Amino acid sequence: MNNLRVFVTGGTGFIGSRLVEVLVEQFKADVTVLCHRTSPGALRMAALGVKLDFSRIDDKENLAKAMTGCDAVFHLAFGQSGSASDMRNTTINGTQAMVDAALEVGVAHFINVSTAAVYFGAPDGVIDETAPMRAWGWSYSDEKFEAEQIVRKAVAERSLPASIFQVAGVYGPWGATFLVSPLTQMRQGIVVLPNYGRGIANLTYVDDVVQALLLGLKKEAHGETFVIKGPGTITRMEAYSELEKMLGYEAVVGMDTNEIKRKAGSYDWGSLKRILPVAISELKRSKALKAEVRNSPIAPMAKSIYNMLKPKAGAVQAIQTIGPPPVEARPPLIYPHPIMVDYLSARVEFSSAKATRLLGYSPRYSLSEGMGLSHEWAKWANLLGPRFKN
Amino acid sequence: MTSMQRPIDIAIVGCGAITEMGHAPGAMLSPRVRLKTLVDIDIAQARKVAQAHGITDVRTSTDKLEDSVEGVILALPHHLHKPICIEMLGKGLHVLIEKPLGCSVAECEAMTDAAKKAERVLATAMVRRFVSANVMAKQMIEDGTLGKVKSFQIVDADLFSWPIRTPFLVENYPGRGVLIGNGSHIFDLVLWWFGDVETVHCEWDSNLGCETDASIDLTMKSGVTGHIDLSRIRRLDSLIVINFEHGSLRLPRFGSGVEMLSPSGELLSTLEPHSNRLYASNSIYLADLMAAQINDFADAVQGQQQPEVDGIVATDVIRVVEKCVASAQLRPLPWQRPVVMPG
């Protein structure tokens, strides 16, 4: 596996940046990372000495140039900034352009990274890649699902040597969804978990995901879809308890799923969902308006609305406050976004048996080991501390 | 300046984020200059900035700039500082250059020599010199109000969010790490406040010249010791603390409100530093601070004073950066393990 030439999209993000670190530092790979702005992730990649390519992800010609001579392509990117249409363009048209470019230059391995959230709706129990997939309203999952179809079509009709890895509950250093965002939420208030926190978290430490993606370089992976999950059966409450240990105080409570839905029902989420992304997009474009809002009495409300709709990518990022205002300085309750309530409640456990059988996938990190390393990083990243003052 | 002195005509070369947010509005606020010309190879960006301020002379080249202005503000990718600065000085223009002065001491010395030869002002934009809290700290250090300085701690670390227009920080150019980026400001303050550096020890996350996170321990020739944390990849609580014999000062990054603390850390009082707006500002707005800096530059051009940060002082800053680089060791990352592949 040493000295490969590799092209990575999403390499400035959480999973991608760890993959690139391992490729460069352990396997001496010559890595090019697709990049769209000078972000902290891009700076980290520059510090590793990898080449950053600023082609647009929907620009097949330039992608093909960047991929020329590469042994493998890892495609992790998805749209997470700009308007809904920008994000969709990145994920869907971007995947199409990536597939077309990879076929044009004849890369030997195309590893497409998707999410196990595409299986949402399966009955409680253990499921694997044979379970039905569907779009269910979470744009991140739905667009990843659509991108998978593009890859599958290219495999079937154009012999793309591709594999699809549907990763579940990925956490670890730099991870937003299961580490940074929850820790931030828990410092802001008490996080409410539906189904009393009994939902299955299907957590996977990021290095186990990287192991799986590197196993995607085996020919046995071609044409296959793999669900990737860490060891053990971990409930969401158990996962959050690990975060409470890091913080040193209690910051999570379980609640009945229907009660949470009832609270959410008093809000017209449908119209908010339609209107507010447009408003936020406009706000982001106008520096002057942003400054006006920031200095106005509506700033706190604007901030909470912005925070409510900004996230697209993560389940826990989509958490928002809808509870009553805090009374007597009690920390506010932080409820999940209505669309995520059933998802977070589900007691569906993923099986990675196929990846183990065909590729030898062997996850190494128990919850306590993975959270232990995450704790080390969270201390360094200044994410731990007392509750924020409201 | 007397009321009889005319403002000097200037151009800005480079119309990226720092010009859009700082230099251009700062020049418009300054009574000491008239911003006449904007130059950028990205003409659309130059026009955008020009339109915001009613500037009509927009160019893609510095050709014949000397025919219409006396001074230029250079706000360019770091690796272009030396060649463009020397070119401008050669045209007889005075130069205010965005920090860092150059990417190495050798570059800085070449630029300083060029300024001397051309008999033109070479000033470096170190905007924190114009934060009135920092000016107050300088005065209190010199006055010995709280006794002698013993130590300091500075944290300047946030997730990188500067709306940079060109990707030079992640491309293979010199002068792109956090030491020369954020560090230029901090090392300048440290040298200004505490004098020359004796020893430096640095720990960082990359030895490729594009480090994103660094911690530095310094001992000054005066015996003062200090610790600095710089980062573009983690958000730490900003901090500037100076510990004296009889108490401490806690300074804001920008704005007003200098906290005076007892030796045991108890808040004694909050001081409001004097803001004369021309040379020191309590403002949190970059444009106000830039205006103060531009006033200082214009006064230097008109021969009234040395600029606050001239080429020699700015070269000393890069000398500290180079000492950091020479001493740097990779930071241990206790959360990282090798990925063990099956079989």
Short mmCIF file of all heavy atoms in Angstrom, two decimals, chain A residues 167-222:
data_model
loop_
_atom_site.label_atom_id
_atom_site.label_comp_id
_atom_site.label_asym_id
_atom_site.label_seq_id
_atom_site.Cartn_x
_atom_site.Cartn_y
_atom_site.Cartn_z
N VAL A 167 -20.77 4.71 6.24
CA VAL A 167 -20.19 4.76 7.58
C VAL A 167 -21.23 5.24 8.58
O VAL A 167 -22.11 6.03 8.26
CB VAL A 167 -18.92 5.64 7.61
CG1 VAL A 167 -17.87 5.07 6.66
CG2 VAL A 167 -19.23 7.09 7.24
N ALA A 168 -21.11 4.72 9.80
CA ALA A 168 -22.11 5.00 10.83
C ALA A 168 -21.47 5.70 12.02
O ALA A 168 -20.40 5.31 12.48
CB ALA A 168 -22.74 3.69 11.29
N GLY A 169 -22.11 6.75 12.50
CA GLY A 169 -21.75 7.37 13.79
C GLY A 169 -20.27 7.63 13.99
O GLY A 169 -19.72 7.27 15.03
N VAL A 170 -19.65 8.27 13.03
CA VAL A 170 -18.19 8.42 13.11
C VAL A 170 -17.83 9.53 14.11
O VAL A 170 -18.34 10.65 14.02
CB VAL A 170 -17.59 8.75 11.74
CG1 VAL A 170 -16.07 8.70 11.79
CG2 VAL A 170 -18.12 7.79 10.69
N TYR A 171 -16.97 9.20 15.05
CA TYR A 171 -16.55 10.17 16.05
C TYR A 171 -15.04 10.11 16.22
O TYR A 171 -14.39 9.17 15.77
CB TYR A 171 -17.26 9.90 17.40
CG TYR A 171 -16.72 8.71 18.15
CD1 TYR A 171 -15.84 8.86 19.21
CD2 TYR A 171 -17.08 7.41 17.78
CE1 TYR A 171 -15.33 7.77 19.90
CE2 TYR A 171 -16.57 6.31 18.45
CZ TYR A 171 -15.70 6.49 19.52
OH TYR A 171 -15.18 5.41 20.18
N GLY A 172 -14.52 11.12 16.89
CA GLY A 172 -13.08 11.17 17.14
C GLY A 172 -12.58 12.60 17.03
O GLY A 172 -13.37 13.53 16.80
N PRO A 173 -11.28 12.82 17.20
CA PRO A 173 -10.71 14.16 17.12
C PRO A 173 -11.13 14.89 15.85
O PRO A 173 -11.13 14.30 14.77
CB PRO A 173 -9.20 13.90 17.13
CG PRO A 173 -9.06 12.62 17.89
CD PRO A 173 -10.25 11.80 17.52
N TRP A 174 -11.52 16.14 15.98
CA TRP A 174 -11.96 17.02 14.91
C TRP A 174 -13.39 16.73 14.46
O TRP A 174 -13.92 17.44 13.60
CB TRP A 174 -11.06 16.97 13.67
CG TRP A 174 -9.62 17.20 13.96
CD1 TRP A 174 -8.66 16.24 14.11
CD2 TRP A 174 -8.95 18.45 14.17
NE1 TRP A 174 -7.45 16.82 14.41
CE2 TRP A 174 -7.60 18.17 14.43
CE3 TRP A 174 -9.37 19.78 14.15
CZ2 TRP A 174 -6.66 19.17 14.69
CZ3 TRP A 174 -8.44 20.77 14.38
CH2 TRP A 174 -7.10 20.46 14.65
N GLY A 175 -14.03 15.73 15.01
CA GLY A 175 -15.36 15.35 14.55
C GLY A 175 -16.42 16.30 15.09
O GLY A 175 -16.54 16.50 16.30
N ALA A 176 -17.22 16.86 14.20
CA ALA A 176 -18.24 17.82 14.61
C ALA A 176 -19.46 17.12 15.21
O ALA A 176 -19.92 17.46 16.29
CB ALA A 176 -18.66 18.68 13.41
N THR A 177 -20.00 16.13 14.49
CA THR A 177 -21.33 15.63 14.82
C THR A 177 -21.40 14.92 16.17
O THR A 177 -22.37 15.11 16.90
CB THR A 177 -21.79 14.67 13.71
OG1 THR A 177 -21.67 15.35 12.47
CG2 THR A 177 -23.23 14.26 13.91
N PHE A 178 -20.42 14.11 16.48
CA PHE A 178 -20.51 13.33 17.71
C PHE A 178 -19.50 13.76 18.78
O PHE A 178 -19.31 13.07 19.77
CB PHE A 178 -20.34 11.84 17.40
CG PHE A 178 -21.48 11.29 16.61
CD1 PHE A 178 -21.40 11.15 15.24
CD2 PHE A 178 -22.67 10.95 17.23
CE1 PHE A 178 -22.46 10.67 14.50
CE2 PHE A 178 -23.75 10.47 16.50
CZ PHE A 178 -23.65 10.33 15.12
N LEU A 179 -18.83 14.88 18.55
CA LEU A 179 -17.89 15.33 19.59
C LEU A 179 -18.01 16.86 19.79
O LEU A 179 -18.47 17.30 20.84
CB LEU A 179 -16.45 14.95 19.22
CG LEU A 179 -15.41 15.17 20.32
CD1 LEU A 179 -15.71 14.29 21.53
CD2 LEU A 179 -14.00 14.89 19.81
N VAL A 180 -17.65 17.63 18.79
CA VAL A 180 -17.59 19.09 18.98
C VAL A 180 -18.99 19.67 19.25
O VAL A 180 -19.20 20.39 20.23
CB VAL A 180 -16.95 19.78 17.76
CG1 VAL A 180 -16.95 21.29 17.94
CG2 VAL A 180 -15.53 19.27 17.53
N SER A 181 -19.94 19.31 18.40
CA SER A 181 -21.29 19.89 18.57
C SER A 181 -21.95 19.45 19.87
O SER A 181 -22.48 20.28 20.60
CB SER A 181 -22.18 19.53 17.38
OG SER A 181 -21.69 20.16 16.23
N PRO A 182 -21.93 18.13 20.20
CA PRO A 182 -22.54 17.76 21.47
C PRO A 182 -21.86 18.41 22.68
O PRO A 182 -22.55 18.86 23.60
CB PRO A 182 -22.38 16.24 21.53
CG PRO A 182 -21.99 15.81 20.19
CD PRO A 182 -21.51 16.98 19.42
N LEU A 183 -20.54 18.48 22.67
CA LEU A 183 -19.86 19.12 23.81
C LEU A 183 -20.28 20.58 23.92
O LEU A 183 -20.51 21.09 25.02
CB LEU A 183 -18.34 19.01 23.65
CG LEU A 183 -17.73 17.64 23.93
CD1 LEU A 183 -16.25 17.61 23.54
CD2 LEU A 183 -17.89 17.24 25.40
N THR A 184 -20.40 21.24 22.78
CA THR A 184 -20.82 22.65 22.79
C THR A 184 -22.25 22.76 23.31
O THR A 184 -22.56 23.61 24.15
CB THR A 184 -20.71 23.24 21.38
OG1 THR A 184 -19.38 23.01 20.90
CG2 THR A 184 -20.99 24.73 21.37
N GLN A 185 -23.13 21.88 22.81
CA GLN A 185 -24.52 21.88 23.27
C GLN A 185 -24.61 21.62 24.77
O GLN A 185 -25.38 22.25 25.48
CB GLN A 185 -25.31 20.78 22.54
CG GLN A 185 -25.45 20.98 21.05
CD GLN A 185 -26.59 21.92 20.69
OE1 GLN A 185 -27.37 22.29 21.55
NE2 GLN A 185 -26.67 22.30 19.44
N MET A 186 -23.78 20.70 25.24
CA MET A 186 -23.85 20.33 26.65
C MET A 186 -23.32 21.43 27.55
O MET A 186 -23.65 21.48 28.73
CB MET A 186 -23.07 19.02 26.87
CG MET A 186 -23.78 17.83 26.20
SD MET A 186 -22.68 16.42 25.98
CE MET A 186 -22.78 15.63 27.58
N ARG A 187 -22.52 22.31 26.99
CA ARG A 187 -22.08 23.47 27.77
C ARG A 187 -23.12 24.58 27.72
O ARG A 187 -23.08 25.51 28.50
CB ARG A 187 -20.72 23.97 27.26
CG ARG A 187 -19.62 22.97 27.53
CD ARG A 187 -18.28 23.44 27.00
NE ARG A 187 -17.77 24.58 27.75
CZ ARG A 187 -16.66 25.24 27.44
NH1 ARG A 187 -15.97 24.90 26.36
NH2 ARG A 187 -16.25 26.25 28.17
N GLN A 188 -24.04 24.47 26.77
CA GLN A 188 -25.09 25.48 26.65
C GLN A 188 -26.33 25.10 27.45
O GLN A 188 -27.12 25.97 27.81
CB GLN A 188 -25.49 25.65 25.18
CG GLN A 188 -24.43 26.34 24.35
CD GLN A 188 -24.69 26.26 22.85
OE1 GLN A 188 -25.44 25.40 22.40
NE2 GLN A 188 -24.07 27.13 22.09
N GLY A 189 -26.52 23.83 27.73
CA GLY A 189 -27.73 23.42 28.43
C GLY A 189 -27.76 21.92 28.63
O GLY A 189 -26.71 21.27 28.65
N ILE A 190 -28.96 21.40 28.77
CA ILE A 190 -29.15 19.96 28.97
C ILE A 190 -29.68 19.38 27.66
O ILE A 190 -30.74 19.78 27.18
CB ILE A 190 -30.17 19.67 30.09
CG1 ILE A 190 -29.75 20.37 31.40
CG2 ILE A 190 -30.36 18.18 30.29
CD1 ILE A 190 -28.55 19.79 32.07
N VAL A 191 -28.94 18.45 27.10
CA VAL A 191 -29.34 17.84 25.83
C VAL A 191 -30.41 16.77 26.10
O VAL A 191 -30.22 15.89 26.95
CB VAL A 191 -28.13 17.22 25.11
CG1 VAL A 191 -28.56 16.42 23.89
CG2 VAL A 191 -27.15 18.32 24.70
N VAL A 192 -31.51 16.88 25.39
CA VAL A 192 -32.61 15.93 25.56
C VAL A 192 -32.46 14.82 24.53
O VAL A 192 -32.40 15.09 23.32
CB VAL A 192 -33.97 16.64 25.37
CG1 VAL A 192 -35.11 15.62 25.47
CG2 VAL A 192 -34.14 17.75 26.40
N LEU A 193 -32.42 13.58 24.99
CA LEU A 193 -32.32 12.44 24.09
C LEU A 193 -33.67 11.74 24.00
O LEU A 193 -34.25 11.37 25.03
CB LEU A 193 -31.27 11.44 24.58
CG LEU A 193 -29.83 11.93 24.57
CD1 LEU A 193 -28.91 10.86 25.12
CD2 LEU A 193 -29.41 12.32 23.16
N PRO A 194 -34.21 11.56 22.80
CA PRO A 194 -35.48 10.85 22.67
C PRO A 194 -35.32 9.38 23.02
O PRO A 194 -34.20 8.85 23.07
CB PRO A 194 -35.85 11.05 21.20
CG PRO A 194 -34.58 11.38 20.51
CD PRO A 194 -33.66 12.01 21.52
N ASN A 195 -36.47 8.74 23.24
CA ASN A 195 -36.50 7.31 23.60
C ASN A 195 -35.60 7.05 24.82
O ASN A 195 -34.96 6.02 24.91
CB ASN A 195 -36.06 6.46 22.40
CG ASN A 195 -36.40 5.00 22.58
OD1 ASN A 195 -37.14 4.64 23.50
ND2 ASN A 195 -35.85 4.15 21.73
N TYR A 196 -35.57 8.04 25.71
CA TYR A 196 -34.79 7.95 26.94
C TYR A 196 -33.33 7.57 26.67
O TYR A 196 -32.67 6.95 27.50
CB TYR A 196 -35.44 6.96 27.92
CG TYR A 196 -36.82 7.41 28.35
CD1 TYR A 196 -37.95 6.88 27.75
CD2 TYR A 196 -36.98 8.41 29.32
CE1 TYR A 196 -39.21 7.32 28.12
CE2 TYR A 196 -38.23 8.85 29.68
CZ TYR A 196 -39.35 8.31 29.08
OH TYR A 196 -40.59 8.77 29.43
N GLY A 197 -32.85 7.93 25.50
CA GLY A 197 -31.45 7.66 25.17
C GLY A 197 -31.18 6.21 24.82
O GLY A 197 -30.02 5.80 24.72
N ARG A 198 -32.27 5.43 24.58
CA ARG A 198 -32.07 3.99 24.30
C ARG A 198 -31.80 3.70 22.82
O ARG A 198 -31.55 2.57 22.44
CB ARG A 198 -33.28 3.19 24.78
CG ARG A 198 -33.37 3.15 26.31
CD ARG A 198 -34.48 2.23 26.78
NE ARG A 198 -35.79 2.70 26.37
CZ ARG A 198 -36.86 2.78 27.16
NH1 ARG A 198 -36.76 2.41 28.43
NH2 ARG A 198 -38.00 3.21 26.70
N GLY A 199 -31.90 4.75 21.98
CA GLY A 199 -31.57 4.56 20.57
C GLY A 199 -30.14 4.06 20.42
O GLY A 199 -29.27 4.38 21.24
N ILE A 200 -29.90 3.27 19.37
CA ILE A 200 -28.55 2.71 19.15
C ILE A 200 -27.72 3.74 18.38
O ILE A 200 -28.13 4.21 17.32
CB ILE A 200 -28.60 1.39 18.37
CG1 ILE A 200 -29.51 0.38 19.07
CG2 ILE A 200 -27.20 0.83 18.17
CD1 ILE A 200 -29.03 -0.07 20.42
N ALA A 201 -26.55 4.07 18.93
CA ALA A 201 -25.73 5.14 18.32
C ALA A 201 -24.88 4.63 17.16
O ALA A 201 -24.46 5.42 16.31
CB ALA A 201 -24.84 5.76 19.39
N ASN A 202 -24.60 3.33 17.13
CA ASN A 202 -23.76 2.77 16.05
C ASN A 202 -22.46 3.56 15.88
O ASN A 202 -22.07 3.90 14.76
CB ASN A 202 -24.53 2.76 14.72
CG ASN A 202 -25.60 1.69 14.72
OD1 ASN A 202 -25.30 0.51 14.80
ND2 ASN A 202 -26.86 2.11 14.68
N LEU A 203 -21.81 3.87 17.00
CA LEU A 203 -20.62 4.71 16.92
C LEU A 203 -19.42 3.97 16.33
O LEU A 203 -19.25 2.77 16.55
CB LEU A 203 -20.24 5.22 18.32
CG LEU A 203 -21.13 6.31 18.90
CD1 LEU A 203 -20.52 6.86 20.18
CD2 LEU A 203 -21.37 7.44 17.92
N THR A 204 -18.63 4.71 15.60
CA THR A 204 -17.41 4.16 14.98
C THR A 204 -16.29 5.18 15.16
O THR A 204 -16.43 6.34 14.75
CB THR A 204 -17.63 3.94 13.47
OG1 THR A 204 -18.90 3.33 13.26
CG2 THR A 204 -16.52 3.08 12.89
N TYR A 205 -15.21 4.75 15.76
CA TYR A 205 -14.07 5.65 15.92
C TYR A 205 -13.45 5.90 14.54
O TYR A 205 -13.34 4.99 13.72
CB TYR A 205 -13.03 5.06 16.89
CG TYR A 205 -11.93 6.04 17.21
CD1 TYR A 205 -12.20 7.20 17.93
CD2 TYR A 205 -10.63 5.83 16.78
CE1 TYR A 205 -11.21 8.12 18.22
CE2 TYR A 205 -9.62 6.73 17.07
CZ TYR A 205 -9.92 7.88 17.79
OH TYR A 205 -8.93 8.79 18.06
N VAL A 206 -13.03 7.12 14.33
CA VAL A 206 -12.60 7.54 12.98
C VAL A 206 -11.48 6.67 12.42
O VAL A 206 -11.44 6.39 11.21
CB VAL A 206 -12.22 9.05 12.98
CG1 VAL A 206 -11.02 9.32 13.87
CG2 VAL A 206 -11.99 9.55 11.56
N ASP A 207 -10.59 6.19 13.27
CA ASP A 207 -9.48 5.36 12.74
C ASP A 207 -9.99 4.02 12.23
O ASP A 207 -9.37 3.42 11.33
CB ASP A 207 -8.41 5.16 13.81
CG ASP A 207 -7.52 6.39 13.95
OD1 ASP A 207 -7.92 7.47 13.48
OD2 ASP A 207 -6.43 6.28 14.55
N ASP A 208 -11.08 3.52 12.80
CA ASP A 208 -11.67 2.29 12.27
C ASP A 208 -12.28 2.54 10.88
O ASP A 208 -12.23 1.67 10.00
CB ASP A 208 -12.72 1.72 13.23
CG ASP A 208 -12.08 1.02 14.42
OD1 ASP A 208 -10.91 0.57 14.30
OD2 ASP A 208 -12.73 0.94 15.48
N VAL A 209 -12.85 3.72 10.70
CA VAL A 209 -13.37 4.07 9.37
C VAL A 209 -12.22 4.16 8.38
O VAL A 209 -12.31 3.65 7.25
CB VAL A 209 -14.15 5.40 9.42
CG1 VAL A 209 -14.55 5.84 8.02
CG2 VAL A 209 -15.39 5.25 10.30
N VAL A 210 -11.13 4.77 8.80
CA VAL A 210 -9.97 4.89 7.90
C VAL A 210 -9.45 3.49 7.54
O VAL A 210 -9.12 3.23 6.37
CB VAL A 210 -8.87 5.76 8.56
CG1 VAL A 210 -7.55 5.66 7.79
CG2 VAL A 210 -9.33 7.21 8.65
N GLN A 211 -9.41 2.62 8.52
CA GLN A 211 -9.00 1.23 8.22
C GLN A 211 -9.89 0.65 7.12
O GLN A 211 -9.40 0.06 6.14
CB GLN A 211 -9.11 0.36 9.49
CG GLN A 211 -8.71 -1.07 9.28
CD GLN A 211 -9.42 -2.04 10.23
OE1 GLN A 211 -10.14 -2.93 9.78
NE2 GLN A 211 -9.22 -1.86 11.52
N ALA A 212 -11.20 0.83 7.27
CA ALA A 212 -12.14 0.28 6.29
C ALA A 212 -11.91 0.88 4.91
O ALA A 212 -11.89 0.17 3.89
CB ALA A 212 -13.57 0.53 6.75
N LEU A 213 -11.71 2.20 4.86
CA LEU A 213 -11.53 2.86 3.56
C LEU A 213 -10.26 2.38 2.88
O LEU A 213 -10.22 2.19 1.65
CB LEU A 213 -11.51 4.37 3.72
CG LEU A 213 -12.79 5.00 4.32
CD1 LEU A 213 -12.68 6.52 4.37
CD2 LEU A 213 -14.03 4.58 3.54
N LEU A 214 -9.22 2.15 3.67
CA LEU A 214 -7.98 1.64 3.08
C LEU A 214 -8.16 0.20 2.58
O LEU A 214 -7.56 -0.20 1.58
CB LEU A 214 -6.84 1.73 4.09
CG LEU A 214 -6.43 3.16 4.49
CD1 LEU A 214 -5.39 3.15 5.60
CD2 LEU A 214 -5.90 3.93 3.27
N LEU A 215 -9.02 -0.56 3.26
CA LEU A 215 -9.33 -1.90 2.77
C LEU A 215 -10.09 -1.84 1.44
O LEU A 215 -10.11 -2.82 0.68
CB LEU A 215 -10.15 -2.67 3.81
CG LEU A 215 -9.37 -3.08 5.07
CD1 LEU A 215 -10.32 -3.57 6.15
CD2 LEU A 215 -8.32 -4.14 4.75
N GLY A 216 -10.67 -0.70 1.17
CA GLY A 216 -11.34 -0.49 -0.12
C GLY A 216 -10.37 -0.54 -1.29
O GLY A 216 -10.80 -0.59 -2.45
N LEU A 217 -9.08 -0.52 -1.00
CA LEU A 217 -8.09 -0.64 -2.07
C LEU A 217 -7.92 -2.08 -2.54
O LEU A 217 -7.17 -2.35 -3.48
CB LEU A 217 -6.74 -0.09 -1.59
CG LEU A 217 -6.74 1.42 -1.26
CD1 LEU A 217 -5.46 1.83 -0.56
CD2 LEU A 217 -6.95 2.24 -2.53
N LYS A 218 -8.61 -3.02 -1.86
CA LYS A 218 -8.58 -4.41 -2.33
C LYS A 218 -9.56 -4.58 -3.49
O LYS A 218 -10.65 -4.01 -3.48
CB LYS A 218 -9.01 -5.35 -1.19
CG LYS A 218 -8.02 -5.46 -0.06
CD LYS A 218 -8.53 -6.52 0.92
CE LYS A 218 -7.48 -6.84 1.96
NZ LYS A 218 -7.91 -7.94 2.85
N LYS A 219 -9.18 -5.42 -4.43
CA LYS A 219 -10.06 -5.65 -5.58
C LYS A 219 -11.40 -6.27 -5.17
O LYS A 219 -12.42 -6.09 -5.83
CB LYS A 219 -9.36 -6.55 -6.60
CG LYS A 219 -8.34 -5.77 -7.41
CD LYS A 219 -8.03 -6.44 -8.71
CE LYS A 219 -7.16 -5.51 -9.56
NZ LYS A 219 -6.17 -6.21 -10.33
N GLU A 220 -11.36 -7.01 -4.06
CA GLU A 220 -12.60 -7.65 -3.58
C GLU A 220 -13.68 -6.62 -3.26
O GLU A 220 -14.86 -6.96 -3.17
CB GLU A 220 -12.32 -8.48 -2.31
CG GLU A 220 -11.43 -9.68 -2.54
CD GLU A 220 -9.94 -9.35 -2.38
OE1 GLU A 220 -9.54 -8.23 -2.74
OE2 GLU A 220 -9.20 -10.24 -1.93
N ALA A 221 -13.25 -5.39 -3.06
CA ALA A 221 -14.22 -4.35 -2.70
C ALA A 221 -15.01 -3.84 -3.90
O ALA A 221 -16.11 -3.30 -3.75
CB ALA A 221 -13.50 -3.18 -2.03
N HIS A 222 -14.46 -4.03 -5.09
CA HIS A 222 -15.08 -3.43 -6.28
C HIS A 222 -16.51 -3.90 -6.48
O HIS A 222 -16.81 -5.09 -6.42
CB HIS A 222 -14.26 -3.76 -7.53
CG HIS A 222 -12.92 -3.08 -7.54
ND1 HIS A 222 -11.98 -3.26 -8.51
CD2 HIS A 222 -12.37 -2.19 -6.66
CE1 HIS A 222 -10.90 -2.54 -8.24
NE2 HIS A 222 -11.12 -1.88 -7.13
#
